[in-house]
Amino acid sequence: MNQALKSCDLFAHMSPDEAKLCLGCSGAVEEKYGKGGMVFCETDAPTRLFVLLEGAVSVGRDSADGRRAVMARIDRPGDLFGEVYVFLDQASYGCSVQAESPVRVLAIPAKFFYSTCEKRCSMHAQIIRNMLSVFARKAFFLTRRVSLLSSGSLRRKIASLLLEHRNPDGSLNLLMNREQMADFLGVTRPSLSRELAAMRDEGLLHINGKNISLPHPDRLKEFYDYSVP
């Protein structure tokens, strides 16, 4: 659990021991689910948020004919989920979270974030500040995504995304596979693959299996700047 807490943005600027003291005050509980188990359903009341400790879960919605559309996959220890819905003042989550493998999660009552505890401990105040930072980053991320999706051609969208995640050596810090990248850009995977292949053939990218690098980032940046209407 210590590693997951250390990786979780909710416990930033807190030691594992401080995080555990805060969790004890919150009434948080550790829960386990087998593969296929439901952490919560669409109609459940949003009274808790969750930290993934181990395994992987998917977030989805069920259609009228019983098919499940997956909206996101969460597989990194320390990742938060369900946190947005508990503050929307609505009767249910409106989505479900299902275990893709045996999982362990930490369930934290939402009411813990509404005010500081009677002890007025500094860690309680810190965790509330951290939650505000989590929401601020989500809002920033969505703003950037809207800007990217409205940026024009698929090539320009790809250029913008890759340049944003470029390391100084030309490698990418892009934690997405091709399917996730296509979903993020709002295109089909075949369309993305064709455009990446064309950019590779033009020398804009190097592609080695699942890895993409930018041998000449200035060329890509020139193309992106040139594409601005």
Side-chain angles (χ1 to χ4, degrees):
M1 181 186 291
N2 283 353
Q3 188 57 45
L5 296 182
K6 186 177 180 180
S7 303
C8 183
D9 291 337
L10 190 58
F11 304 104
H13 313 297
M14 299 168 67
S15 70
D17 288 340
E18 289 171 333
K20 288 178 180 177
L21 286 173
C22 206
L23 290 171
C25 184
S26 74
V29 295
E30 182 179 325
E31 298 178 344
K32 297 180 180 180
Y33 297 87
K35 182 177 180 180
M38 303 301 296
V39 180
F40 61 77
C41 299
E42 292 185 40
T43 56
D44 288 347
T47 58
R48 304 187 300 171
L49 55 94
F50 300 84
V51 179
L52 182 69
L53 300 178
E54 183 180 280
V57 299
S58 60
V59 183
R61 287 197 177 99
D62 295 326
S63 61
D65 59 6
R67 289 182 297 179
R68 189 166 189 266
V70 175
M71 301 157 52
R73 186 176 187 272
I74 299 165
D75 59 6
R76 290 184 297 180
D79 276 355
L80 278 172
F81 60 93
E83 76 279 9
V84 173
Y85 304 99
V86 300
F87 296 105
L88 287 178
D89 194 28
Q90 59 185 24
S92 63
Y93 283 103
C95 66
S96 61
V97 171
Q98 186 173 28
E100 293 190 352
S101 65
V103 300
R104 291 191 303 123
V105 300
L106 191 63
I108 307 174
K111 63 182 181 181
F112 179 67
F113 298 91
Y114 292 143
S115 63
T116 55
C117 63
E118 294 178 356
K119 299 178 183 179
R120 297 185 179 277
C121 59
S122 60
M123 290 303 99
H124 195 158
Q126 181 64 55
I127 204 171
I128 292 175
R129 288 195 295 270
N130 289 345
M131 179 58 78
L132 292 174
S133 294
V134 168
F135 285 139
R137 283 193 291 272
K138 283 183 177 288
F140 180 73
F141 171 82
L142 291 173
T143 299
R144 295 291 293 273
R145 187 178 183 192
V146 169
S147 175
L148 185 145
L149 291 177
S150 61
S151 63
S153 69
L154 175 55
R155 179 168 291 200
R156 188 176 172 197
K157 292 175 184 177
I158 293 172
S160 177
L161 180 64
L162 298 184
L163 287 170
E164 183 176 329
H165 292 84
R166 177 177 62 91
N167 294 319
D169 63 357
S171 64
L172 297 179
N173 184 28
L174 184 63
L175 302 177
M176 298 181 187
N177 58 33
R178 295 293 188 275
E179 193 69 38
Q180 292 167 330
M181 189 175 175
D183 288 343
F184 185 82
L185 295 174
V187 299
T188 64
R189 181 167 177 173
S191 296
L192 173 66
S193 296
R194 283 194 297 271
E195 192 60 40
L196 287 174
M199 295 173 75
R200 177 202 59 201
D201 293 344
E202 294 174 30
L204 296 171
L205 310 175
H206 280 170
I207 300 178
N208 182 15
K210 296 181 179 180
N211 298 318
I212 301 175
S213 60
L214 309 182
H216 307 291
D218 288 344
R219 287 185 59 193
L220 201 62
K221 190 173 186 302
E222 287 174 6
F223 162 78
Y224 175 71
D225 291 341
Y226 180 79
S227 301
V228 176

